[in-house]
């Protein structure tokens, strides 16, 4: 009788955890699609802006089966301040990241949360 109870509990926990994991994946996918759609329907804007901060996020992924295998990915972010004083952070390419310096002034072009470019003033 105790074995039956334990087995039933395991099945319930398995289904619960499986449902939570699948629900999490669905939530991330739907959120991404919603943001993509919102960006596509947002106007493309060009505004005067100042580069106020730069940051890099490096993540390391290790293969648990093969300790010698690992992967590193780097994401680059730049924060711009517009004339109103609002700040916006965008994910940008490493090449663009290397071309920008804190204190640069210019024209920022974006669409929703999507960075489209920055033209530095000379």
């Amino acid at each position: 009788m105790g074995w039956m109870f334990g087995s039933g509990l395991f099945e319930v926990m398995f289904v619960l955890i499986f449902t939570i994991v699948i629900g999490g994946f669905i939530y991330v996918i739907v959120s991404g699609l919603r943001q993509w759609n919102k960006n596509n329907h947002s106007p493309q804007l060009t505004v005067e802006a100042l580069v106020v901060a730069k940051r890099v996020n490096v993540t390391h992924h290790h293969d648990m089966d093969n300790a010698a295998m690992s992967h590193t990915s780097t994401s680059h972010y730049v924060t711009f301040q517009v004339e109103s004083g609002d700040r916006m952070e965008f994910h940008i390419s490493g090449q663009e990241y290397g071309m920008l310096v804190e204190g640069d002034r210019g024209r920022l072009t974006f669409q929703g949360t999507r960075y489209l470019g920055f033209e530095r003033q000379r």
Side-chain angles (χ1 to χ4, degrees):
M1 192 89 150
W3 178 81
M4 297 284 273
F5 176 73
S7 177
L9 183 61
F10 173 77
E11 290 173 4
V12 169
M13 291 300 293
F14 179 80
V15 169
L16 182 64
I17 291 172
F18 181 78
T19 302
I20 290 171
V21 169
I22 295 300
F25 282 128
I26 291 170
Y27 175 78
V28 168
I29 290 169
V30 169
S31 294
L33 288 173
R34 191 174 288 143
Q35 186 63 55
W36 176 81
N37 188 47
K38 183 177 178 185
N39 283 341
N40 286 344
H41 288 90
S42 294
Q44 181 175 321
L45 301 174
T46 300
V47 297
E48 297 296 320
L50 170 70
V51 176
V52 293
K54 294 171 58 175
R55 72 180 178 92
V56 175
N57 184 33
V58 179
T59 56
H60 303 281
H61 306 278
H62 298 281
D63 184 350
M64 298 304 248
D65 296 329
N66 185 353
M69 296 293 292
S70 67
H71 172 74
T72 301
S73 63
T74 305
S75 298
H76 301 86
Y77 299 90
V78 174
T79 302
F80 296 92
Q81 182 170 319
V82 296
E83 291 175 321
S84 67
D86 292 331
R87 292 183 176 202
M88 297 178 284
E89 182 179 66
F90 294 99
H91 180 257
I92 67 170
S93 72
Q95 183 177 3
E96 291 246 10
Y97 181 87
M99 300 294 286
L100 297 175
V101 176
E102 288 183 21
D104 280 349
R105 290 187 179 277
R107 296 177 57 79
L108 168 67
T109 303
F110 64 98
Q111 185 177 21
T113 60
R114 187 181 297 147
Y115 171 83
L116 298 176
F118 182 76
E119 185 179 329
R120 184 181 306 116
Q121 288 178 345
R122 299 188 191 274

